[in-house]
Structure formats: structure tokens, C-alpha cells
């Protein structure tokens, strides 16, 4: 399942209506006073949260929006009607950024929550407004102001209860395909998964949870190595992380080292995510047969952990136990962490990274302009 989770949208609020220049004309009244009405304000643009939506894909087909303009004023002191406000529906959980200024305008997280993204232009004033004791026949009016226009970037973080973590090839996609209807690509080479996958795991008729499979992480992921960092943000709203550790890595790497690599990246990326509750899941037990449990115990001791699961997605061993364990952990967990804080942290991290990349690009550009070789450049 391809999940579109970023979209660029341009919005332009309505222009304000112009003020009117008019004088009263009545029978027996040759020179009536001014009676030009004001224009109407331009329409605003709001984004509104809708629970029934879960993708930003529609914005790929309609990326620009314009609200109605205010109507001009008229004689007889008639004001022009205001332009109607425009409400654009977006999925709950969308973060809205001003793309040019690179600032977060807000998060829309609940059904019906509104976020003003473009303010309608102010109305123009009719000449009635300029009447004074010294000027009884003003010809002055003002024009309606243009509406605010912005380029927005929308980001939808996948809302999953459980996130899967692990190095490439750890068996994340195989696990989600075993326990849910998600059918991601599975293969014995690293970085098979390129986009996150979501799957609904059914426990019984009434209970289910959502699991997210993200691309594998490698050392340096927090600095942008591999596919890591752009997908770690998807874990910011999960309640539980499963850290999958391959008992028998294909590349003969050390499972303990692999475990620490991922943990280190999480800490570097966000304390909030690193502090989330984790369950360690040793995978591919079938490859060790009867020795799997002993090996898992050995590794757990080395890692200093007491609670863990051992599974094989090939034989199915340990899978049902794991699902019930997740159910327990989700059930027992109260909203202990402040997800607000985590979001802010993740957001600040992304901005810092973007700024670093931008200044690096500028530096390179300057070097190229000056015909100088780049002395040191770390991607
Ligand atoms: N024998 C055995 N092989 C497994 C098991 N789980 C996964 N595999 C194999 O391990 C390889 C990698 O599995 P994936 O599920 O693609 O791994 P991943 O963690 O999603 O990898 P990336 O998407 O690259 O990060 C595939 O060849 C799977 O068939 C298991 O329980 N037993
Ligand atoms: Mg995968």
C-alpha cells in the first residue's frame, strides 16, 4: 500500500471588494451627499479536520484553492456582500506548514478542528466614510486589499498504535504481512521497504490495533543515512514500538550490535521517541530450530533485558503470544508521555536538518561560483 503523506497546496484568500463612489440623487435635491457603500471582505480559507479521510492523495489532483472575493459596495450606502469562506477538508493528524517561511502553522488533530491558513483581503471603503465638515462631497474611496496567499505543505503522520523498528532485513514486513492484511514487498536484501505500510491487526471481534512497518534503519539514520529519518517521524504518534532483532542476520552481523545501533539512532533523533515503551522481538526462530529460545535468552542477558518475545513468521511460532502481549501493553499503557512535546521535538529536528542542508547547499553553490573546489563536505 502506497501511502501519500505529504502534499503541497497553494491557497489564495478572496480579495476585498472595492468601496463605491456615489452621490445621492433624489427629486428636488440637486446635490445630494455621498452614499457610496463599503465593499465586502474577501473570503478566508480554513483547513478542517475530517476523521473519514486518511490520505492527502486528493491534493495531488487539486493543488490550488482560491476563496471567493468580496463584492464592491454600491450607491445608497449598500455594502458589498462578503466573499464566502472556503473550508478544505483534510485528514485528522495533519501538520500544516508555511512552505516558504518553513514554519509550522498548526496541527489539525480533531474532527471539525479549523485552522485559518489565508486571511481574506480587507474591504475597501465607500466615499460616505470620507465625509467631514470640511468636505461634504468627497470623491475618495479605497480599494479592497488582496487576500493572503500562501504555499502550504501538509504532512500526515501515519497514526499507528504500534511501530516496527529494526535494521534492514530484520523481518518487519514479513511480520506485518503475517498478522494483518497488509502485503508489503518482502525480499532478502536491505531496503526492500521504501514507504511505510499500515496494517490492522485483529485481536478479536471488538479489538484491533494498527501496526506501521517503516523502512529499515541503519547507523547514521538520524543524520539522514539510508531512508531512516524521513520515516522516523511516523513513529511519533505510536504508543508502542516493537524492536525486531534478527537472531541469525544474513550478513553475519552481531544481533547485540545491531540492537544498539538502532537504539542510538532513536536517542539522537528524538528523546520522545526513544523514551517510548519498547518490546524486543527476536525473529527468524525457525532458522535455529530448538536452539532458538536458548540463543534468545543469551542475547537478552547480554542486552540486559528481561522481557522479550521470540517469533518465527515462517512457522508461526510465538506470533499469537506476541499479539496478546501487544494487546496487554497497549491496554495497560495510559497516555504517559506528552505527545505534544514529541511532535515539537520532531518538528524542530526536521527544521534543523533542513536548515543544515540548505546552508550546506549554499556553501557548495558559493564554492562553485568562486570556482573553488569543495574542501570538505559531509552529506
Ligand atoms: N526463515 C525465516 N526467514 C524470514 C523470517 N522473517 C523474515 N524472513 C526473511 O527475511 C528476509 C527479509 O524480510 P523482510 O520482511 O523483507 O525484512 P524487513 O525488515 O522488512 O527489511 P527492509 O524492508 O529491507 O527493512 C526475507 O527474505 C524474508 O523471507 C522468518 O521468521 N524466518
Ligand atoms: Mg520491509
Amino acid at each position: 500500500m502506497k501511502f501519500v503523506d505529504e502534499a503541497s497546496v497553494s491557497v489564495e484568500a478572496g480579495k476585498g471588494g472595492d468601496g463605491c463612489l456615489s452621490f445621492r440623487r433624489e427629486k428636488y435635491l440637486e446635490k445630494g451627499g455621498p452614499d457610496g457603500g463599503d465593499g465586502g471582505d474577501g473570503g478566508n480559507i480554513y483547513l478542517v479536520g475530517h476523521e473519514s479521510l486518511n490520505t492527502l492523495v486528493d491534493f495531488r489532483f487539486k493543488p490550488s484553492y482560491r476563496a471567493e472575493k468580496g463584492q464592491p459596495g454600491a450607491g445608497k450606502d449598500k455594502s458589498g456582500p462578503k466573499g464566502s469562506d472556503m473550508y478544505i477538508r483534510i485528514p485528522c493528524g495533519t501538520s500544516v506548514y508555511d512552505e516558504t517561511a518553513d514554519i509550522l502553522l498548526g496541527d489539525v488533530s480533531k474532527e471539525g478542528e479549523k485552522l485559518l491558513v489565508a486571511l481574506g483581503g480587507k474591504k475597501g471603503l465607500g466615499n460616505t466614510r470620507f465625509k467631514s465638515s470640511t468636505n461634504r462631497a468627497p470623491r475618495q474611496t479605497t480599494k479592497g486589499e488582496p487576500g493572503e496567499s500562501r504555499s502550504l505543505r501538509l504532512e500526515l503522520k501515519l497514526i499507528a498504535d504500534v511501530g516496527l523498528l529494526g535494521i534492514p532485513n530484520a523481518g518487519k514486513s514479513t511480520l506485518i504481512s503475517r498478522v494483518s492484511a497488509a502485503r508489503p514487498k518482502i525480499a532478502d536484501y536491505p531496503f526492500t521497504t521504501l514507504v511505510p505500510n499500515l496494517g490492522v491487526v485483529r485481536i478479536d471481534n471488538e479489538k484491533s490495533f494498527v501496526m506501521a512497518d517503516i523502512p529499515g534503519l541503519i547507523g547514521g539514520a538520524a543524520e539522514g543515512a539510508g531512508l531512516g529519518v524521513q520515516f522516523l517521524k511516523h513513529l511519533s504518534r505510536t504508543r508502542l514500538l516493537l524492536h525486531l532483532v534478527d537472531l541469525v542476520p544474513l550478513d553475519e552481523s552481531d544481533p547485540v550490535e545491531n540492537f544498539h545501533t538502532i537504539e542510538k539512532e532513536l536517542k539522537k533523533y528524538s528523546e520522545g521517541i526513544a523514551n517510548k515503551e519498547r518490546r524486543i522481538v527476536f525473529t527468524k526462530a525457525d532458522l535455529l530450530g530448538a536452539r532458538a529460545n536458548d540463543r534468545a535468552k543469551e542475547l537478552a542477558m547480554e542486552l540486559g533485558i528481561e522481557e522479550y518475545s521470540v517469533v518465527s513468521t515462517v512457522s508461526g511460532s510465538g506470533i499469537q503470544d506476541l499479539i496478546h502481549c501487544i494487546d496487554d501493553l497497549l491496554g495497560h499503557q495510559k497516555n504517559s508521555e506528552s505527545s505534544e512535546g514529541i511532535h515539537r521535538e520532531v518538528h524542530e529536528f526536521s527544521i534543523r536538518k533542513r536548515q543544515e542542508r540548505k546552508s550546506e547547499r549554499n556553501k557548495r553553490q558559493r564554492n562553485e561560483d568562486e570556482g573553488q573546489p569543495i574542501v570538505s563536505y559531509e552529506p
Side-chain angles (χ1 to χ4, degrees), residues 95-172:
S95 303
V96 183
Y97 297 86
D98 181 311
E99 195 151 47
T100 321
D102 208 0
I103 50 166
L104 177 67
L105 299 177
D107 282 311
V108 173
S109 46
K110 285 188 235 104
E111 172 80 24
E113 194 175 328
K114 282 195 293 185
L115 181 70
L116 176 66
V117 287
L119 188 65
K122 259 185 145 18
K123 64 185 180 182
L125 302 178
N127 63 338
T128 313
R129 300 279 199 151
F130 297 94
K131 190 169 76 174
S132 68
S133 53
T134 51
N135 187 358
R136 305 251 194 92
R139 302 192 64 79
Q140 192 182 355
T141 60
T142 59
K143 287 200 172 302
E145 290 175 14
E148 204 175 4
S149 66
R150 273 184 208 272
S151 294
L152 303 176
R153 189 177 75 256
L154 308 183
E155 273 184 24
L156 175 66
K157 295 183 186 93
L158 307 183
I159 300 181
D161 305 294
V162 179
L164 299 183
L165 278 177
I167 58 165
N169 264 338
K172 302 175 292 297

Side-chain angles (χ1 to χ4, degrees), residues 167-332:
I167 58 165
N169 264 338
K172 302 175 292 297
S173 301
T174 316
L175 178 65
I176 202 172
S177 68
R178 176 97 197 188
V179 298
S180 78
R183 290 291 171 266
K185 188 171 169 191
I186 292 164
D188 60 355
Y189 53 81
F191 300 119
T192 308
T193 302
L194 302 174
V195 289
N197 303 289
L198 278 189
V200 178
V201 183
R202 204 151 273 298
I203 301 167
D204 55 37
N205 274 343
E206 277 154 29
K207 278 197 288 183
S208 62
F209 60 85
V210 177
M211 189 181 258
D213 167 32
I214 63 164
L217 298 175
I218 55 173
E223 282 91 37
L227 296 167
V229 78
Q230 50 181 320
F231 297 110
L232 269 173
K233 66 179 178 222
H234 294 312
L235 301 182
S236 63
R237 289 189 185 191
T238 56
R239 291 193 281 151
L240 171 71
L241 300 176
L242 299 188
H243 186 158
L244 270 57
V245 181
D246 192 340
L247 284 170
V248 198
L250 205 64
D251 60 0
E252 298 185 356
S253 54
D254 177 17
V256 173
E257 252 173 51
N258 293 342
F259 173 88
H260 288 308
T261 303
I262 303 286
E263 292 291 319
K264 242 193 326 207
E265 292 308 321
L266 286 187
K267 284 215 181 71
K268 271 198 273 176
Y269 180 68
S270 146
E271 278 292 322
I273 292 182
N275 288 336
K276 274 182 188 286
E277 177 154 17
R278 282 213 258 322
R279 176 82 178 179
I280 311 305
V281 181
F282 293 107
T283 60
K284 309 191 190 175
D286 55 291
L287 294 177
L288 290 179
R291 287 185 299 118
N293 283 332
D294 287 344
R295 177 67 179 140
K297 200 167 168 185
E298 227 173 73
L299 291 172
M301 270 178 54
E302 253 186 87
L303 292 171
I305 51 169
E306 282 172 9
E307 300 198 351
Y308 55 88
S309 305
V310 185
V311 301
S312 162
T313 36
V314 168
S315 73
S317 71
I319 299 285
Q320 275 312 312
D321 287 350
L322 175 65
I323 290 178
H324 287 116
C325 166
I326 295 171
D327 183 31
D328 281 348
L329 290 171
L330 290 178
H332 289 161

